[in-house]
Amino acid sequence: NIGFFVDTAGTFENINASAEIGSIDEIKINSFEGLLNKNPFTLQASYLKKKDFADVFLDFKAEKLYLINSANKEENKTEQVSQEESSPAKEQATQEEETSTFVPININANINIGKMDVPYLRGNKLNFTAKAKNITPKMDKTHGTFNLSVQDGQIKDVYTLANANAVAKVMFMSLGIVSRVINTLNVLDLLNGMGKVLSGKKETEEDIPQHQEINGKMDFDSFDTKIDFNQGVATMKKCSFVSDLFSFRVNGNINFDNRKIKLNVDSAPGKHTEDGIMPLNIDIKGTIEEPKGSLSVLSSVSALVGDTVMNNPVSNMLKKGWGKLFSSSKDEEEAIAQETLPQEP
């Protein structure tokens, strides 16, 4: 039994381990278990570096995972991280610097955590699996599958998390892109107005909410994504986000080779299950650095919501948004407004 302290994680205690180390390029951890910040965990892992690639295996399980920095330094830092620091342009420049010395990785990973609080993410019942080849900082030749599900938590800074590392980029970049489009097209305001109308709630001028944006933090009831990679093209087999504020599901793909994106987002105000009706559609094209978004609305709700919004006390910006939607919408698939987004959210 041994113990030690790691600045970025915390205190390890009662550690029992069995490992085989041939060299710095050949490491096999048969078992590694004990307490991390008073919480039990188990780990098996291996790393085998060859001439042109490295094989990595990881199996990690814990009922609770709490990293010291996630509760103080990271949460405070989230409010201060500039959008410039986490911009796609800077992220791509960093990739180019790293690629020259980076050996592509083949990964087989399985992570199960009951309750967690780590840098940029907090949640329950996290399950992550990955089986992929040729992982590099650019992810432009990657092939394989990635699955992630987590419940009842918070993404503390989606923009920084989406650029944290190669795996985080895969799992969260779609959320980062969607969040930027949502902010530029004032989607939260539109969904809020739709929710008020459909609920029948009456408001006075004083009750009208201020303009809402995603500032990086995203509370959620569930986030579930399944991604297939084929030669650097990530296809969203499933991507659903459910929260009290709004819910959405994402289909489409992100090409990490030519940086082009083609995503389709169905969204709704409040908490909606993945297979529920989501009346507001967002079509996203362009590139990772400069995505372009357009909106359309289901014709089945356009008359009800449009007339009520235009004849009740809501903000001028919201009336303008709904006016553009309903005056231009002729069917469920017609897009009405297209804007080029800035590089930062």
Side-chain angles (χ1 to χ4, degrees):
N1 291 338
I2 60 173
F4 52 90
F5 178 81
V6 177
D7 182 60
T8 56
T11 302
F12 289 82
E13 298 175 287
N14 301 333
I15 299 299
N16 290 290
S18 171
E20 301 173 25
I21 302 177
S23 69
I24 193 172
D25 296 328
E26 186 178 352
I27 302 172
K28 183 178 181 181
I29 301 175
N30 298 310
S31 66
F32 188 87
E33 58 185 31
L35 302 178
L36 172 55
N37 298 322
K38 306 297 183 182
N39 297 308
F41 72 94
T42 62
L43 169 71
Q44 289 181 306
S46 64
Y47 174 80
L48 178 60
K49 182 180 179 183
K50 299 181 180 180
K51 181 180 178 181
D52 298 320
F53 63 89
D55 288 327
V56 175
F57 167 77
L58 175 67
D59 187 285
F60 180 86
K61 294 181 176 63
E63 285 299 316
K64 295 181 180 179
L65 180 65
Y66 172 75
L67 303 185
I68 289 177
N69 286 2
S70 66
N72 41 60
K73 296 180 183 178
E74 291 298 340
E75 190 156 351
N76 293 331
K77 183 180 177 182
T78 296
E79 300 293 337
Q80 303 170 5
V81 172
S82 70
Q83 295 172 353
E84 179 180 355
E85 290 176 342
S86 58
S87 69
K90 182 170 183 178
E91 173 245 339
Q92 187 173 13
T94 302
Q95 289 175 0
E96 293 173 355
E97 294 177 0
E98 295 176 345
T99 301
S100 60
T101 58
F102 192 91
V103 177
I105 289 175
N106 303 329
I107 189 170
N108 185 354
N110 182 44
I111 299 175
N112 292 281
I113 303 171
K115 185 176 183 178
M116 63 180 291
D117 190 350
V118 301
Y120 308 119
L121 181 64
R122 180 172 68 245
N124 298 317
K125 297 181 180 179
L126 179 138
N127 293 288
F128 171 77
T129 61
K131 193 170 185 179
K133 296 182 178 181
N134 212 10
I135 298 174
T136 64
K138 292 184 69 174
M139 302 294 289
D140 57 337
K141 298 294 187 295
T142 300
H143 183 90
T145 60
F146 297 82
N147 301 315
L148 172 69
S149 65
V150 59
Q151 299 179 15
D152 301 321
Q154 181 190 77
I155 298 171
K156 303 176 186 180
D157 186 345
V158 67
Y159 306 118
T160 302
L161 182 59
N163 294 316
N165 55 55
V167 174
K169 183 190 306 178
V170 171
M171 308 316 300
F172 295 98
M173 179 169 282
S174 62
L175 285 189
I177 293 171
V178 170
S179 298
R180 293 162 59 200
V181 173
I182 284 174
N183 286 346
T184 300
L185 298 181
N186 299 319
V187 171
L188 290 185
D189 294 325
L190 296 176
L191 289 175
N192 182 66
M194 179 183 289
K196 294 293 192 299
V197 169
L198 294 178
S199 68
K201 183 177 180 180
K202 302 294 183 180
E203 291 185 327
T204 64
E205 292 286 351
E206 291 74 19
D207 294 326
I208 297 172
Q210 298 297 314
H211 174 58
Q212 292 178 287
E213 286 191 348
I214 298 174
N215 62 5
K217 288 185 178 181
M218 299 177 71
D219 295 319
F220 60 86
D221 283 42
S222 66
F223 173 54
D224 192 354
T225 184
K226 302 180 186 299
I227 301 172
D228 280 358
F229 254 90
N230 186 7
Q231 296 301 311
V233 178
T235 300
M236 306 294 153
K237 292 297 183 181
K238 179 179 182 180
C239 182
S240 66
F241 182 92
V242 178
S243 74
D244 288 334
L245 178 62
F246 71 114
S247 303
F248 60 82
R249 55 177 175 253
V250 183
N251 295 294
N253 61 70
I254 301 174
N255 190 321
F256 285 87
D257 185 16
N258 61 25
R259 312 288 287 178
K260 292 183 178 180
I261 57 177
K262 187 176 181 181
L263 299 174
N264 191 269
V265 184
D266 294 317
S267 58
K271 190 181 302 183
H272 282 255
T273 59
E274 181 192 3
D275 56 355
I277 296 175
M278 298 191 181
L280 191 63
N281 179 269
I282 310 170
D283 189 55
I284 304 174
K285 297 179 181 178
T287 66
I288 293 173
E289 291 74 28
E290 294 186 359
K292 299 177 181 180
S294 62
L295 296 175
S296 62
V297 65
L298 291 179
S299 59
S300 57
V301 300
S302 62
L304 168 65
V305 178
D307 290 344
T308 309
V309 167
M310 300 306 287
N311 294 311
N312 279 277
V314 295
S315 67
N316 290 331
M317 180 177 63
L318 184 55
K319 284 188 177 183
K320 181 180 178 181
W322 281 115
K324 289 171 67 178
L325 275 174
F326 298 128
S327 64
S328 304
S329 180
K330 296 181 181 179
D331 55 51
E332 294 183 2
E333 300 300 327
E334 186 174 359
I336 51 84
Q338 191 170 84
E339 300 182 33
T340 301
L341 292 137
Q343 290 190 8
E344 289 81 25

